[in-house]
Amino acid sequence: MIKKAVIPAAGLGTRFLPATKAMPKEMLPIIDTPTIQYVVQEAVDSGIEDILIITGKGKRSIEDHFDRNFELEARLEEKEDAIWLNEIRRLSDMANIHFVRQKEQNGLGDAICYARHHVGNEPFAVLLGDTIMDSVIPVTQQLIDTYEQYRGTVIAVEEVPADKVNRYGIVGGKALSDSILELNTLIEKPSIDKAPSNLAIAGRYILTPEIFPALAQTPKGKNGEVQLTDAMLLVLKREALFAHRIEGKRHDIGNKLDFLKTTVEFALKRKEFAGPFLKFLEEMIEEHKK
Ligand code: G1P
């Protein structure tokens, strides 16, 4: 049973400046809900009970978001606003949420090292804090189901266009079924000619404790950072690794265009906005056609 998850949220968010100068990218809201709240919800919906969020400098608002806020609660009580009172209390009660700070910006692999003590000797889920998944079955649940079947590392993947393989970790391997591959290679942000496929790592993982000794041996790689992908390649020497093609849509909130598209998509799904917002979009399109 996988009950623990790690959410790395320590990155600087340089792709979203200036908003992220003093604000964590994981707190960027899609409409009214911070990105990381969707990520925590996915973990909870997948049966996770214990979450470690890896933060860093300037990320205090993430801790505050999942903490009690007695002053706000008292004010909502006075106003007899039961709906928001319950929602605000639910937020601090979603799961057992813990925090640890990454001291230096040494990459995703280095951030995961900080989870060693917390997760101990169990497999655990990893959900990148700037990526929202929109799916019927939570993507982390999909990976857990595959883990239960194959008992090894499971990496979420999705196809990307060939000209975008250099933005992702790319995997290669043998298909075991329509959705599962057994991997024989992984490479972080390869050029098109070095990419083993167009299957990109999509920001969700089930890792085994073998990742920790592997990370300890992983030298700095792409962009001078310790890459999780490089450490998983070391794990491959000792254990089988699997990739799971996800069913669902990935939204990378750290990317401005994706952020905009996600906001529009999610607004159109909300009952209170769908009608007037669609009308507004239609008017905008007409205006821009001129
Ligand atoms: C990270 C991982 C990469 C993965 C990507 C998904 O890269 O290192 O393997 O494909 O997330 O978003 P980053 O986007 O942090 O550079």
Side-chain angles (χ1 to χ4, degrees):
M1 291 291 268
I2 294 179
K3 292 288 167 206
K4 289 185 179 175
V6 175
I7 302 182
L12 285 177
T14 47
R15 289 180 300 157
F16 219 113
L17 284 167
T20 46
K21 185 181 172 211
M23 173 190 175
K25 63 176 165 174
E26 297 79 9
M27 288 300 289
L28 286 166
I30 298 300
I31 309 172
D32 51 7
T33 303
T35 298
I36 196 158
Q37 188 180 323
Y38 291 96
V39 178
V40 167
Q41 188 68 53
E42 179 192 328
V44 170
D45 290 344
S46 305
I48 298 291
E49 292 168 354
D50 188 289
I51 297 174
L52 178 70
I53 302 182
I54 320 256
T55 66
K57 195 173 174 309
K59 303 274 184 173
R60 271 297 298 276
S61 57
I62 299 179
E63 294 183 37
D64 290 341
H65 188 69
F66 292 105
D67 199 356
R68 295 289 295 269
N69 182 336
F70 294 104
E71 209 181 318
L72 177 62
E73 287 177 25
R75 188 59 61 86
L76 293 170
E77 252 168 22
E78 262 169 41
K79 288 173 61 181
E80 295 180 11
D81 187 342
I83 293 179
W84 279 111
L85 186 61
N86 287 339
E87 179 58 17
I88 294 302
R89 285 196 177 137
R90 185 189 73 88
L91 261 177
S92 53
D93 229 11
M94 288 175 81
N96 296 315
I97 303 184
H98 313 263
F99 297 90
V100 61
R101 275 168 75 101
Q102 184 186 25
K103 292 190 184 67
E104 280 177 71
Q105 294 289 329
N106 284 334
L108 177 59
D110 179 63
I112 298 294
C113 287
Y114 285 79
R116 185 175 198 158
H117 181 67
H118 190 83
V119 299
N121 207 25
E122 293 171 35
F124 59 101
V126 172
L127 299 87
L128 300 192
D130 61 358
T131 302
I132 297 176
M133 294 292 187
D134 193 10
S135 62
V136 179
I137 300 170
V139 169
T140 296
Q141 180 70 61
Q142 296 175 28
L143 301 192
I144 291 174
D145 293 345
T146 299
Y147 174 84
E148 298 294 342
Q149 200 179 345
Y150 292 94
R151 298 274 151 189
T153 298
V154 184
I155 304 167
V157 295
E158 66 172 12
E159 279 179 29
V160 294
D163 63 337
K164 296 215 166 78
V165 294
N166 63 354
R167 297 190 192 174
Y168 297 96
I170 301 292
V171 304
K174 187 175 99 229
L176 300 182
S177 69
D178 286 349
S179 58
I180 316 287
L181 279 90
E182 181 167 352
L183 300 186
N184 52 33
T185 189
L186 303 94
I187 171 165
E188 183 66 15
K189 303 192 175 81
S191 54
I192 297 189
D193 53 313
K194 298 239 168 61
S197 74
N198 65 341
L199 284 175
I201 299 176
R204 299 290 187 265
Y205 313 76
I206 303 296
L207 300 177
T208 69
E210 274 300 318
I211 197 67
F212 296 114
L215 280 166
Q217 286 168 31
T218 304
K220 286 186 176 173
K222 203 90 192 178
N223 303 330
E225 295 181 334
V226 180
Q227 297 293 345
L228 180 59
T229 306
D230 295 344
M232 292 192 294
L233 190 61
L234 289 181
V235 172
L236 187 57
K237 291 186 180 164
R238 306 172 60 113
E239 291 181 357
L241 259 65
F242 303 90
H244 178 120
R245 287 175 190 260
I246 58 170
E247 269 174 51
K249 194 162 176 189
R250 185 177 60 91
H251 299 272
D252 172 9
I253 304 306
N255 168 307
K256 290 177 189 178
L257 185 60
D258 258 23
F259 172 83
L260 276 173
K261 289 181 182 171
T262 307
T263 301
V264 172
E265 254 189 82
F266 279 41
L268 290 174
K269 284 188 198 179
R270 289 265 292 255
K271 270 204 250 79
E272 71 266 49
F273 300 126
F277 192 55
L278 185 61
K279 187 164 169 283
F280 166 78
L281 290 177
E282 282 165 353
E283 284 164 13
M284 282 287 115
I285 291 166
E286 278 309 308
E287 210 175 301
H288 285 265
K289 273 188 193 158
K290 285 176 197 158

